[in-house]
Amino acid sequence: MPSHSHAVPRRRRPVSALRDILVSEAGGGLVLMASAALALAVANSPWADAYFAALKTHLGPLSVLHWINDALMAVFFLLVGLEIKREGLDGRLRTWPDRVLPGLAALGGMAAPALVYAAVNWTSPETLRGWAIPAATDIAFALGVLALLGSRVPVSLKIFLTALAIIDDLGAVLIIALFYTADLSLPMLSGSAATLAVLYGLNKAGVARLWPYLLLGIVLWVFVLASGIHATIAGVLLALTIPLRLSAGKPDDPTSPLHILEHAVHPWSAYFILPVFGFANAGVSLAGITPRMLLDPVTLGVALGLFVGKQIGVFGLVIAAVKLGLAQRPAHAGWWQVYGVSLLCGVGFTMSLFIGLLAFANAPELEAETKVGVLIGSLACMAAGALVLRFAPARPAGR
């Protein structure tokens, strides 16, 4: 990834959605922030009853909220899967040296928050089920904060944060698949496996047109939805079958089917799907919130997991990796800047809310506590991270 310079290069179409994010300075993250704020405002306004009733309205077999969380978010997870595949095979994570620092940071950033949450909820099996809620990082929100800071943040740190979040997303996908599934239906699982086998066969046969994959992807989603595994996993499975033409030393091959689909999905994900998800899920009535709720195990565990656990896990393993000679600190970044980005990793809005909905699907009061904890922890991380990065030295001393 070339660093920014004062010269204005000739404009050309970016060749990966990751580079779109870095070039556009995460405009989608700013839209997501606005949608979350709007949801909070509406949920505490005279239109609150209409807002919550609309989300519960059924359109066919699913409610509006379920269409958003199970269908629209499957498209978001498709994008996540495409980015994971491309970065792992042909991008910033294609070699082990590239993966070491963000990989260790992501591991620490998932484990430490989960341990903090578990410590707070250890005596309650019902609430302990939410241990993975603070383990996720919201890349759109985090990059949105970096966008507000402009050139004060080195490009290397933006790349590091994005790579970390991609690995973090992979961890979240595995957690959802392994720990947040309902009773499994063997016939539907068999249908999912058969559809996936056909998709794999298309890939191996060299089929480059996207429409057969997308049609079968809808079939796969229906089978996965009925199987007991969360429907969004279908998006990731479909992504892994989309053909990727390796670039043979060039930055990327924009004619690759995977790149074409990634570019087609990215604007819809950033500027429609995630804002709609944020608007549908961030609305929580503040009328029922009491000082006692702020100290309830779920609220406290989520907030502390995001604010305390994330910075300890990410920053601690980055320091350890650098000191042990396993990796190098991101170029042109000082330790205070790395710490600021570690704080931003605690912004877990989208994925944290999503996992919370899975963990406490039948407990509305715990869902409300989850939302409060996510909002408190994420806002604290945004404010602290922005403050540290705003006043951190622009250049490291003695690099």
Side-chain angles (χ1 to χ4, degrees), residues 198-220 238 241-243 257 261:
V198 175
L199 284 163
Y200 178 77
L202 289 177
N203 183 304
K204 287 300 181 183
V207 176
R209 291 181 178 273
L210 285 171
W211 67 264
Y213 295 94
L214 298 181
L215 286 178
L216 285 170
I218 296 173
V219 176
L220 179 64
L238 173 61
T241 67
I242 302 298
L261 182 59

Side-chain angles (χ1 to χ4, degrees), residues 34-91:
S35 71
L38 181 61
L40 278 173
V42 172
N44 293 278
S45 73
W47 298 286
D49 289 342
Y51 166 80
F52 290 112
L55 292 175
K56 294 177 182 177
T57 301
H58 270 70
L59 297 176
L62 301 175
S63 68
V64 171
L65 185 61
H66 279 100
W67 278 115
I68 293 170
N69 292 343
D70 290 358
L72 278 184
M73 286 299 284
V75 180
F76 166 72
F77 274 79
L78 168 63
L79 180 62
V80 168
L82 293 172
E83 290 181 341
I84 289 171
K85 180 173 181 176
R86 176 179 49 74
E87 290 297 315
L89 297 179
D90 198 36

Side-chain angles (χ1 to χ4, degrees), residues 109 112-114 116-117 132-138 299-312 342-349 352-353 370-381:
V116 169
Y117 180 94
I133 295 170
T137 293
D138 192 309
T299 307
L300 196 60
V302 171
L304 290 179
L306 290 172
F307 185 71
V308 177
K310 276 288 184 180
Q311 60 173 294
I312 290 176
S342 300
L343 281 166
L344 289 184
C345 289
V347 181
F349 184 78
S352 292
L353 286 178
T370 296
K371 292 179 180 181
V372 174
V374 169
L375 291 172
I376 292 174
S378 295
L379 288 173
C381 289

Side-chain angles (χ1 to χ4, degrees), residues 14-293:
V15 292
S16 75
L18 168 60
R19 298 179 188 198
D20 272 346
I21 289 175
L22 299 181
V23 171
S24 68
E25 299 290 355
L30 302 179
V31 176
L32 181 56
M33 292 180 195
S35 71
L38 181 61
L40 278 173
V42 172
N44 293 278
S45 73
W47 298 286
D49 289 342
Y51 166 80
F52 290 112
L55 292 175
K56 294 177 182 177
T57 301
H58 270 70
L59 297 176
L62 301 175
S63 68
V64 171
L65 185 61
H66 279 100
W67 278 115
I68 293 170
N69 292 343
D70 290 358
L72 278 184
M73 286 299 284
V75 180
F76 166 72
F77 274 79
L78 168 63
L79 180 62
V80 168
L82 293 172
E83 290 181 341
I84 289 171
K85 180 173 181 176
R86 176 179 49 74
E87 290 297 315
L89 297 179
D90 198 36
R92 291 285 169 177
L93 299 174
R94 66 183 179 276
T95 66
W96 282 109
D98 293 331
R99 299 168 187 165
V100 170
L101 191 64
L104 289 174
L107 179 63
M110 287 185 283
L115 290 173
V116 169
Y117 180 94
V120 175
N121 290 269
W122 191 251
T123 58
S124 173
E126 181 186 14
T127 61
L128 189 59
R129 179 172 168 76
W131 61 270
I133 295 170
T137 293
D138 192 309
I139 184 60
F141 257 116
L143 283 174
V145 175
L146 291 186
L148 299 177
L149 296 166
S151 60
R152 293 192 62 86
V153 181
V155 175
S156 63
L157 275 182
K158 298 175 185 179
I159 294 171
F160 166 73
L161 175 60
T162 306
L164 184 158
I166 289 171
I167 298 173
D168 186 281
D169 283 344
L170 176 59
V173 168
L174 293 175
I175 287 171
I176 291 170
L178 294 175
F179 298 100
Y180 295 107
T181 58
D183 294 332
L184 298 179
S185 166
L186 289 180
M188 294 300 104
L189 282 176
S190 299
S192 301
T195 307
L196 194 60
V198 175
L199 284 163
Y200 178 77
L202 289 177
N203 183 304
K204 287 300 181 183
V207 176
R209 291 181 178 273
L210 285 171
W211 67 264
Y213 295 94
L214 298 181
L215 286 178
L216 285 170
I218 296 173
V219 176
L220 179 64
W221 178 82
V222 172
F223 277 127
V224 173
L225 176 67
S227 73
I229 299 174
H230 198 270
T232 51
I233 299 300
V236 179
L237 295 175
L238 173 61
L240 297 180
T241 67
I242 302 298
L244 172 65
R245 190 177 298 115
L246 298 182
S247 56
K250 299 178 182 179
D252 283 306
D253 183 353
T255 65
S256 176
L258 186 145
H259 286 271
I260 293 171
L261 182 59
E262 188 181 2
H263 276 285
V265 172
H266 176 253
W268 288 98
S269 175
Y271 295 102
F272 177 71
I273 293 172
L274 288 183
V276 168
F277 173 85
F279 181 74
N281 291 281
V284 56
S285 174
L286 301 179
I289 295 178
T290 64
R292 177 185 167 277
M293 179 187 248

